Amino acid sequence: DHATLIMTMRDYGTEAYWDERYAAQDGSNFDWYQDFGTLRPHLLPYLQNHQNFEILIPGCGNSRLGAELYDSGFVNLTCIDTSPVVINQMSDRYADKEEMEFTVMDVRRMEIPDACFDLIIDKALFDAQLCGEDNLNFVTEMVAETCRVLKPGGMYICISHGLPSTRMAYLQAKGIPWSVDVVEIPKPPLNAYEEQGASAHHYMYVCTKSEKA
C-alpha cells in the first residue's frame, strides 16, 4: 500500500536497508531506471577513450554499468558504495577486470584527493539520498564532494527520475562551480507504465565543472 511504499522509500537513505537487500540478491544484477544499452548513446558524447580518462561511479550497487563501460574500453573505473556486502560481491564477480576498483566509501566523505576524475556517473544515488531523513544535508554534502573530486572541465552526470523543478535547486547550489544542462531520456517501455501520470522520461543532469575551479 501507499504507506508501505513511503516507508520503503525512506529506507533507501539507510545503509542497513541496502546491506540486507544486497545479501538477499547475491549473484544478481539490478539496474535502476535505464541499463547501459539504452544509456549508451546518451553517455558516449561525454566518454573519452584515452589512458588518463578516469571515471567514478558512486553508489554503484550491483549494477552492470561499470562492467559494461569496462567492456566498451573505458577501463579506468572506480566504483564506490557504502555497502560492504555489495562491494564484496562485485569485487568477486568482476575480479577479471583488473583495472576496475570496488571500494567501500561514502560519497559524502570520499577519501579521494581533489580533482581526480574526468567523469562521474550517478544512476539513482542522488534520488536515494533524497529519500533519507536528513536528505537536505545528505544531498548538499554529496554535491560539494562530487564537485571537489572532479577535474576542472570534468562532468558529473546524474541520472534521475526527478523533474528539473525538483532537482535543479540542489544541483545549482551556491558556491558550486559548475553549469547544469538537462537531457531527457525516454523511459524504457516497461518502466513507462509504472506510475500513472508520471513523466515518460528520465532526466540526465550534466554538470560541467568550470575550467577555472
Side-chain angles (χ1 to χ4, degrees):
D1 63 6
H2 185 67
T4 305
L5 177 62
I6 294 297
M7 286 302 297
T8 302
M9 288 179 67
R10 283 185 186 156
D11 288 341
Y12 288 175
T14 68
E15 293 176 22
Y17 168 81
W18 292 108
D19 276 342
E20 188 176 328
R21 175 171 170 153
Y22 291 132
Q25 291 180 344
D26 190 15
S28 65
N29 290 101
F30 181 78
D31 271 288
W32 290 90
Y33 305 156
Q34 307 262 345
D35 61 23
F36 185 61
T38 57
L39 279 179
R40 186 186 179 98
H42 302 284
L43 289 176
L44 276 178
Y46 308 105
L47 291 161
Q48 295 178 33
N49 204 345
H50 64 72
Q51 195 173 353
N52 299 319
F53 192 79
E54 297 282 348
I55 302 171
L56 172 69
I57 302 178
C60 63
N62 55 8
S63 164
R64 283 192 47 78
L65 177 62
E68 289 174 317
L69 282 166
Y70 194 100
D71 290 343
S72 299
F74 307 102
V75 298
N76 296 326
L77 282 156
T78 302
C79 301
I80 66 171
D81 202 288
T82 55
S83 169
V85 173
V86 82
I87 289 296
N88 287 335
Q89 290 173 358
M90 297 293 274
S91 296
D92 290 345
R93 190 174 305 163
Y94 298 120
D96 59 320
K97 303 185 190 305
E98 295 177 0
E99 293 172 79
M100 183 162 61
E101 295 179 23
F102 288 96
T103 304
V104 178
M105 200 177 294
D106 187 336
V107 71
R108 296 168 295 148
R109 289 178 288 277
M110 288 186 272
E111 296 158 24
I112 291 171
D114 295 353
C116 277
F117 296 100
D118 299 277
L119 183 65
I120 299 175
I121 305 173
D122 161 11
K123 189 148 66 78
L125 176 62
F126 190 93
D127 290 353
Q129 296 284 343
L130 278 175
C131 294
E133 288 186 10
D134 197 16
N135 56 2
L136 182 56
N137 283 335
F138 275 30
V139 171
T140 301
E141 291 170 359
M142 176 182 168
V143 166
E145 269 291 87
T146 300
C147 188
R148 181 184 68 79
V149 301
L150 268 182
K151 295 176 185 177
M155 294 181 185
Y156 164 55
I157 292 180
C158 172
I159 296 151
S160 169
H161 71 80
L163 293 160
S165 60
T166 67
R167 297 294 183 265
M168 292 294 275
Y170 298 111
L171 293 171
Q172 294 179 319
K174 188 175 179 182
I176 302 297
W178 61 28
S179 59
V180 185
D181 295 305
V182 185
V183 179
E184 291 188 350
I185 303 175
K187 286 182 179 176
L190 288 176
N191 285 347
Y193 304 111
E194 279 180 3
E195 305 163 77
Q196 266 194 319
S199 168
H201 297 89
H202 290 127
Y203 298 90
M204 187 167 86
Y205 297 92
V206 182
C207 307
T208 306
K209 188 173 178 178
S210 168
E211 292 279 4
K212 298 174 184 175

